[in-house]
Amino acid sequence: SSEVLEAIENVIQDVLKSLAQKKAPVLTLANRSDWRNIEFKDAVGLQMIPHCTTKQIRSDCPRSALKFALMLKILSMIYKMVQSNTYATKRDIYYSDTPLFGSQSVVDNIINDISCMLKIPRRSLHILSTTKGFVAGNLSYTEEDGTKVNCTCGATAVTVPSNVQGIKNLISHAKFMLIVEKDATFQRLLDDDFCNKLSPCIMITGRGIPDLNTRLLVRKLWDTFQIPIFTLMDADPHGVEIMCIYKYGSVSMSFEAHHLTVPSIKWLGLLPSDLERLNIRKDVLIPFTKQDQNKLASIQKRPYIACQPMWKKELEIMAASKLKAEIQVLTSLSSDYLSRVYLPNKLQFGGWL
């Protein structure tokens, strides 16, 4: 915490120095959303290059003056929280002054900018993000406040903890981990008692694009147990994008890649080639939109696809067919096809990429 306080004090000292010299204070940030500042490393995923291009948030420019003020406001809130050892969610910060911040996304963006500027992970800034992910299966752990959590209990899932760094005493006999894209599929597998039927496993869903805590948990479980991790996604560009976030990280959070990515993650399904292999009827597939085509084209150009020839092939199948499928499409074969046939066969015979 002294490191955080010192980092904030340095920023404020620079502001005061500028004022003393009758200059307009400026905050300098790394350009987080620029692909030119990102390098792809097999072992880490997408990470920020050491000397990247920066942008300036000036206090004397009408376009950035508000952002400059909001950054100082949030820095002062962080400073107080670290001093008093209290925590707040991003939502709490937004609701502390809604007219000032204007929207939740403004707050989220500034917090990521501050984290990147200070080179300090968000958890150390005493800001918790609201969790939307769920975890279930063969896993128990103790939360930071001493609460014991057991995820093994039947048909209900446990919310991913909001302070993943603080959990300890992780125990599991799971043979593998399954990341499920959507809540509905996750619930369905829970109802079918999938976690116990085949062999003990841990199931996680970020319910769409995963939040930070879900990604931190996947990474922590990988570090702790080193078991295979598989993903179960829709066979569409959006599903592939989500899987890439778990595996290689995202451009906007590349400065934290070391805590967030698990490059050993495997693509289990739903593969575009599965649709042909299983003779899925064309009338239950969904035609591509223009947006899907653009998204797929952009994924195909990414640096990590070049080192995944099998993935490349699957994306080409998808691009050629211009059709996408949700995991639920398997119910057209039989209501429990996913948990009774599809997943057991894939896991037994190595049907992943």
Side-chain angles (χ1 to χ4, degrees):
S1 59
S2 58
E3 184 194 336
V4 181
L5 297 176
E6 195 182 326
I8 296 174
E9 284 160 10
N10 290 340
V11 172
I12 302 305
Q13 256 172 340
D14 288 344
V15 169
L16 292 174
K17 260 184 218 156
S18 301
L19 290 171
Q21 295 165 357
K22 305 251 184 307
K23 288 184 192 159
V26 166
L27 296 173
T28 306
L29 305 178
N31 237 335
R32 282 190 300 123
S33 54
D34 190 339
W35 272 93
R36 286 171 303 188
N37 285 333
I38 311 294
E39 61 179 352
F40 169 64
K41 284 254 177 79
D42 250 5
V44 183
L46 300 175
Q47 64 176 14
M48 221 168 206
I49 57 175
H51 306 289
C52 57
T53 58
T54 55
K55 56 181 179 186
Q56 291 194 322
I57 310 296
R58 302 190 60 86
S59 58
D60 61 347
C61 159
R63 275 219 329 267
S64 62
L66 176 64
K67 180 160 185 179
F68 181 91
L70 294 181
M71 285 187 75
L72 289 191
K73 164 85 174 162
I74 292 179
L75 278 168
S76 82
M77 294 171 87
I78 292 169
Y79 195 84
K80 280 181 195 145
M81 289 193 299
V82 174
Q83 271 187 323
S84 59
N85 197 22
T86 53
Y87 286 81
T89 63
K90 294 188 298 184
R91 223 171 151 67
D92 296 335
I93 291 176
Y94 168 57
Y95 279 114
S96 70
D97 198 336
T98 47
L100 176 68
F101 293 119
S103 79
Q104 181 71 58
S105 62
V106 168
V107 173
D108 297 357
N109 201 16
I110 286 177
I111 289 167
N112 285 342
D113 278 339
I114 287 174
S115 174
C116 186
M117 175 176 77
L118 302 178
K119 296 190 169 47
I120 289 170
R122 198 160 75 191
R123 305 167 292 293
S124 307
L125 302 176
H126 284 230
I127 294 171
L128 305 171
S129 48
T130 2
T131 299
K132 60 183 181 115
F134 287 134
V135 57
N138 195 297
L139 174 69
S140 62
Y141 56 84
T142 309
E143 287 199 356
E144 197 180 25
D145 63 0
T147 313
K148 287 186 166 48
V149 178
N150 186 357
C151 306
T152 336
C153 306
T156 50
V158 171
T159 310
V160 167
S162 58
N163 186 355
V164 175
Q165 295 314 96
I167 67 174
K168 46 191 185 291
N169 307 335
L170 288 92
I171 299 167
S172 176
H173 304 292
K175 296 283 180 279
F176 64 91
M177 213 154 100
L178 183 67
I179 298 171
V180 182
E181 177 186 348
K182 282 198 186 132
D183 195 23
T185 311
F186 181 84
Q187 295 298 340
R188 179 67 214 244
L189 289 171
L190 270 186
D191 294 342
D192 290 350
D193 197 24
F194 177 75
C195 291
N196 302 313
K197 266 188 184 155
L198 200 60
S199 59
C201 73
I202 299 169
M203 270 198 332
I204 288 187
T205 180
R207 299 163 75 195
I209 293 173
D211 58 289
L212 200 66
N213 294 327
T214 305
R215 290 170 63 188
L216 283 167
L217 183 63
V218 169
R219 176 62 201 235
K220 184 159 188 130
L221 292 173
W222 161 248
D223 285 338
T224 311
F225 302 118
Q226 302 274 315
I227 50 178
I229 304 180
F230 302 109
T231 57
L232 181 62
M233 306 280 150
D234 288 342
D236 66 9
H238 190 62
V240 175
E241 169 101 287
I242 288 172
M243 171 171 58
C244 291
I245 291 174
Y246 283 108
K247 187 175 171 77
Y248 295 123
S250 57
V251 173
S252 64
M253 293 300 287
S254 57
F255 63 94
E256 267 214 63
H258 290 270
H259 310 287
L260 292 173
T261 60
V262 184
S264 62
I265 282 174
K266 299 281 184 270
W267 186 5
L268 187 71
L270 191 59
L271 303 177
S273 58
D274 289 339
L275 304 175
E276 248 164 62
R277 187 174 59 81
L278 298 170
N279 284 328
I280 303 282
R281 300 196 320 272
K282 286 275 189 288
D283 63 328
V284 295
L285 301 177
I286 309 158
F288 261 26
T289 61
K290 188 82 191 100
Q291 215 178 350
D292 291 325
Q293 272 172 309
N294 295 343
K295 167 76 78 190
L296 183 57
S298 98
I299 292 173
Q300 285 175 303
K301 288 194 197 92
R302 288 186 195 167
Y304 44 69
I305 296 299
C307 64
Q308 289 280 3
M310 303 297 279
W311 283 32
K312 209 169 154 191
K313 217 178 251 172
E314 292 294 333
L315 298 184
E316 282 161 7
I317 293 173
M318 198 188 288
S321 74
K322 291 193 173 56
L323 292 169
K324 56 183 183 175
E326 298 186 322
I327 298 162
Q328 283 82 341
V329 79
L330 295 175
T331 56
S332 67
L333 300 171
S334 77
S335 64
D336 58 350
Y337 192 85
L338 176 67
S339 59
R340 188 175 51 85
V341 183
Y342 182 82
L343 288 174
N345 280 350
K346 282 253 167 175
L347 291 160
Q348 197 178 346
F349 301 114
W352 58 79
L353 306 178

